[in-house]
Amino acid sequence: MITVASLAPYLGGALALGGIAVAASRRRELLIRWCAWAVGVPLVTGAFWLGRPGAAALAIAVGVIAVMEFGGLMLLGCADRVVLAAAVAGVVLAAWLAPGQVLRVVATGALAVAAVPLLAGDSEHGLRRLGAGLLGLAWLSVLAALVPLGASALALFVAVSVADIAAYFAGQRLGGPRLSPLSPAKRWSGTLAGAAAGLGVLAVLSALSWPMAVAVAVGGPAGDLLESMIKRGAQVKDAGRWLPGSGGLLDRIDSLLIALAVLLVLR
């Protein structure tokens, strides 16, 4: 059984080795990214260490920030963002306190999201706001899976993150056919190399199973492409600018979100 305690030494070791590699490279952008990881990894690990309450608090915090970034991409107003954030937080709380009521809470959240443009009588942008709100609810409510999955979700996050990094560098080195018009910089060679690296991480963490493997190899790249599609529609490069080396939080968790969804379906 995977536990946070069993994962902690690997995470610490990976941070230390990453710091040595970054220092040797002398590349400022890599140093900035490593510093963000050095702050974020202990915070995330500490949240999971606290069990379901910690995972729920982490999921709510991440969900609210992600909703704000998503709302900016989709040009949603304040009321739309507040209601969507409350709906996502409600789903997370249900996953923690009343797991049997999650579907009911999701349905209630969808009705609340739909009510905002309806009550506003927005005939010009109402359909766009409704569609964006429901997409955001379906996409970001998956964060509620962090609560029941616990340490498995932490292992999945590590594997997906390593797969992303490996895919980026391998794609640049190996080249080859593009993965999708949605993200011209991504190559099939990088995606396959990233999948191999992610599966290797799962094996090292004793978390390798066929649902986890499919989540990393298929769900991770699919999540990245989904956010690329949204950002292309919004004509922006990053979901935000506040997270050093990553742009916004959505840019960091996009692969994880769909990987979580795939894992939930397969489990």
Side-chain angles (χ1 to χ4, degrees), residues 144-159:
L146 297 180
V147 178
L149 290 176
S152 295
L154 181 58
L156 181 65
F157 175 63
V158 174

Side-chain angles (χ1 to χ4, degrees), residues 74-171:
M74 303 304 293
L75 302 179
L76 295 178
C78 181
D80 297 273
R81 299 190 200 191
V82 169
V83 172
L84 179 55
V88 170
V91 176
V92 175
L93 288 174
W96 172 29
L97 301 173
Q101 301 299 318
V102 169
L103 290 180
R104 181 172 293 176
V105 174
V106 171
T108 302
L111 291 174
V113 166
V116 178
L118 287 175
L119 294 177
D122 189 351
S123 59
E124 185 176 0
H125 300 292
L127 182 60
R128 176 186 59 78
R129 292 167 62 187
L130 173 61
L134 294 179
L135 170 61
L137 179 63
W139 189 27
L140 301 178
S141 289
V142 177
L143 288 166
L146 297 180
V147 178
L149 290 176
S152 295
L154 181 58
L156 181 65
F157 175 63
V158 174
V160 167
S161 299
V162 170
D164 279 346
I165 295 170
Y168 173 76
F169 286 106

Side-chain angles (χ1 to χ4, degrees), residues 34-244:
W34 183 85
C35 289
W37 278 102
V39 173
V41 169
L43 289 176
V44 171
T45 305
F48 279 104
W49 202 297
L50 296 175
R52 292 194 169 210
L58 175 66
I60 290 174
V62 171
V64 170
I65 295 171
V67 164
M68 296 303 115
E69 292 182 353
F70 176 77
L73 292 174
M74 303 304 293
L75 302 179
L76 295 178
C78 181
D80 297 273
R81 299 190 200 191
V82 169
V83 172
L84 179 55
V88 170
V91 176
V92 175
L93 288 174
W96 172 29
L97 301 173
Q101 301 299 318
V102 169
L103 290 180
R104 181 172 293 176
V105 174
V106 171
T108 302
L111 291 174
V113 166
V116 178
L118 287 175
L119 294 177
D122 189 351
S123 59
E124 185 176 0
H125 300 292
L127 182 60
R128 176 186 59 78
R129 292 167 62 187
L130 173 61
L134 294 179
L135 170 61
L137 179 63
W139 189 27
L140 301 178
S141 289
V142 177
L143 288 166
L146 297 180
V147 178
L149 290 176
S152 295
L154 181 58
L156 181 65
F157 175 63
V158 174
V160 167
S161 299
V162 170
D164 279 346
I165 295 170
Y168 173 76
F169 286 106
Q172 281 190 331
R173 297 270 182 162
L174 301 176
R178 292 177 177 176
L179 178 63
S180 169
L182 294 172
S183 188
K186 291 181 173 57
R187 310 285 177 172
W188 273 105
S189 59
T191 300
L192 294 175
L199 297 185
V201 169
L202 290 177
V204 170
L205 299 179
S206 301
L208 183 60
S209 64
W210 76 267
M212 290 280 277
V214 175
V216 170
V218 178
D224 190 70
L225 289 179
L226 174 58
E227 198 207 4
S228 293
M229 182 177 69
I230 293 172
K231 290 192 295 186
R232 278 188 168 272
Q235 297 183 343
V236 299
K237 183 179 182 295
D238 297 315
R241 298 181 178 178
W242 65 277
L243 194 59

